[in-house]
Amino acid sequence: MTILVTGGAGFIGSNFVLDWLAASDEDVVNLDKLTYAGNVHNLADLASDPRHIFVQGDIGDAGLVAALLKAHSPRAVLNFAAESHVDRSILGPLEFIQTNIVGTFHLLEQVRAYWGGIDAQAQAGFRFLHVSTDEVYGSLASRDPAFTETHRYEPNSPYSASKAASDHLVRAYHHTYGLPVLTTNCSNNYGPLHFPEKLIPLMIVNAQAGKPLPVYGDGQQIRDWLYVKDHCSAIRTVLQGGRLGETYNIGGWNEKPNLHIVHTVCDLLDELKPRADGQSYRSQIAYVTDRPGHDRRYAIDARKIEQELGWKPAETFETGIRKTVQWYLDHPQWVAQVQSGAYREWVATQYAQT
Ligand code: NAD
Ligand code: TYD
């Protein structure tokens, strides 16, 4: 048996592929465009593993997707591929529309054609799992209850609007064509292999480089943090037992203001790798202009996945953030490589023939 993963060289996708192949013998076809956020080095441990088939390409390339589906006959497609950074979506929304909406549409079309052509037993077992975000629900006021699966969609950024549109397309392909879909909406992830443009890895990397730690606005915006490996286990759980056409919210009940996150990272670094001058890394915090349209609070009500499918996160925020800071301290070469322009040249050369 085989699964097709899209975006499997990104942060969550590569963690998912690594965890999947550590726990199962099922082959993974990994389709990733290798944008700035995709990194084949994330998958270096699989370099000689024949169960992992990496293909550089776009989910919007109908011919390529059709050929992969025909060649590998996957029993499931898991769609992680996306443009994922809110700040980039504010500076340039087009790529977000192109990949998250148009790309997902083309992927759905090819999967629908493939699914329509397989035998009844394979059709019944097939799943299309769409990985989405809690940001589609918009922003909560401080006393509002956490997002349930029936919360109204109110996306506020070009990123969240494009993800919301993709969720609607996935839903429509189930209701209109009967495609066996599952959708997951997860809160903010953190952990190993996280590209240092997002809050937690940026703070870890900047702190060590002696650079400012930029906190947007008053730093009191709240996110609900989940260790990436727990997100991966939730996706495996939904793939295995989720009811067709359903949405599952994924979160670890870990609401924290941004400033608390930054303080925690600084305190862990003070303990694990103290500054030479004896000062705390907190002294590097710099308040900067707020993000336009900045959502104030996200929070996930995870009762559906917990009660229906028995999923629970393995990490608390305290254990997960310690592991994360330690991982970055242990992998300075990974950080240096993702930050270097040479990385992109290497990819262009490496994949020039394929
Ligand atoms: P990421 O930006 O780290 O990785 C995205 C991956 O998709 C990259 O490897 C990139 O090369 C690939 N990609 C982009 N466009 C592509 C295309 N057109 N065709 C094929 N591949 C393409 O993102 P991430 O943080 O790993 O997020 C993965 C998914 O999870 C996204 O759909 C995101 O919306 C969702 N999500 C992320 C979070 C989070 O906190 N990071 C939380 C909830 C949901
Ligand atoms: P981010 O990691 O970009 O995730 P998202 O915007 O998808 O939630 O940002 C998390 C929070 O941290 C968000 O409220 C914006 C804030 N933030 C900063 O204060 N400074 C930064 O440099 C970054 C990247 C984010």
Side-chain angles (χ1 to χ4, degrees):
M1 300 280 260
T2 301
I3 61 167
L4 172 63
V5 167
T6 73
F11 164 48
I12 303 172
S14 58
N15 273 288
F16 181 86
V17 170
L18 290 166
D19 287 3
W20 180 272
L21 288 172
S24 132
D25 269 336
E26 209 169 344
D27 292 358
V28 176
V29 179
N30 185 349
L31 172 64
D32 194 296
K33 189 177 171 183
L34 295 181
T35 67
Y36 78 94
N39 183 355
V40 285
H41 291 294
N42 292 356
L43 303 157
D45 288 352
L46 303 174
S48 56
D49 190 331
R51 299 170 305 164
H52 179 237
I53 300 145
F54 184 79
V55 180
Q56 186 181 13
D58 194 319
I59 57 167
D61 182 340
L64 174 62
V65 173
L68 289 176
L69 291 168
K70 187 162 183 252
H72 298 285
S73 305
R75 60 128 178 143
V77 173
L78 292 91
N79 185 31
F80 293 82
E83 290 293 335
S84 69
H85 190 201
V86 174
D87 293 322
R88 284 182 190 254
S89 83
I90 295 168
L91 284 173
L94 182 60
E95 282 300 314
F96 290 73
I97 308 306
Q98 204 53 48
T99 283
N100 300 0
I101 305 179
V102 181
T104 302
F105 159 71
H106 285 300
L107 180 65
L108 281 165
E109 274 293 272
Q110 294 315 310
V111 170
R112 177 166 80 89
Y114 161 73
W115 178 74
I118 55 182
D119 66 47
Q121 200 190 346
Q123 269 189 350
F126 184 81
R127 297 288 181 272
F128 180 91
L129 191 150
H130 181 60
V131 179
S132 192
T133 166
D134 60 357
E135 303 193 24
V136 298
Y137 299 123
S139 185
L140 292 169
S142 58
R143 289 174 193 278
D144 287 345
F147 301 128
T148 64
E149 288 78 0
T150 55
H151 196 282
R152 183 171 142 182
Y153 269 43
E154 287 179 325
N156 292 320
S157 72
Y159 163 65
S160 55
S162 66
K163 290 296 291 186
S166 67
D167 293 8
H168 291 323
L169 284 170
V170 170
R171 175 189 163 87
Y173 272 64
H174 177 66
H175 284 269
T176 304
Y177 305 114
L179 193 68
V181 308
L182 299 158
T183 298
T184 56
N185 292 85
C186 189
S187 60
N188 283 62
N189 284 211
Y190 67 98
L193 305 169
H194 204 180
F195 195 80
E197 65 180 358
K198 307 276 174 72
L199 179 70
I200 289 178
L202 185 82
M203 295 299 150
I204 299 172
V205 166
N206 277 13
Q208 291 179 79
K211 293 184 180 162
L213 308 179
V215 172
Y216 298 162
D218 63 1
Q220 293 308 313
Q221 302 83 4
I222 291 173
R223 298 291 181 266
D224 190 350
W225 294 93
L226 185 69
Y227 191 63
V228 63
K229 304 281 181 189
D230 284 324
H231 187 189
C232 295
S233 78
I235 290 170
R236 291 198 302 274
T237 301
V238 172
L239 181 65
Q240 197 181 337
R243 283 181 294 130
L244 294 187
E246 290 289 319
T247 287
Y248 293 89
N249 283 358
I250 304 171
W253 309 96
N254 272 313
E255 286 185 63
K256 310 275 183 209
N258 292 340
L259 197 57
H260 174 84
I261 299 292
V262 178
H263 283 162
T264 304
V265 167
C266 290
D267 296 351
L268 281 166
L269 285 171
D270 286 342
E271 175 195 327
L272 298 169
K273 195 185 178 192
R275 272 173 45 147
D277 64 4
Q279 280 204 59
S280 169
Y281 288 97
R282 289 190 186 204
S283 62
Q284 291 169 231
I285 291 172
Y287 289 90
V288 300
T289 307
D290 208 352
R291 170 188 282 173
H294 198 170
D295 284 340
R296 196 69 184 162
R297 174 179 167 236
Y298 304 139
I300 281 280
D301 183 332
R303 279 178 294 179
K304 181 174 173 182
I305 187 172
E306 290 174 358
Q307 290 170 8
E308 216 180 282
L309 302 177
W311 172 83
K312 279 252 185 275
E315 303 293 341
T316 63
F317 182 72
E318 288 66 32
T319 59
I321 192 69
R322 181 173 284 275
K323 281 186 182 176
T324 303
V325 171
Q326 190 64 58
W327 187 88
Y328 279 85
L329 291 176
D330 292 344
H331 294 83
Q333 66 286 29
W334 182 90
V335 173
Q337 172 264 316
V338 295
Q339 287 181 317
S340 87
Y343 170 64
R344 302 204 60 189
E345 288 159 32
W346 179 85
V347 167
T349 312
Q350 173 73 5
Y351 292 99
Q353 315 307 327
T354 58

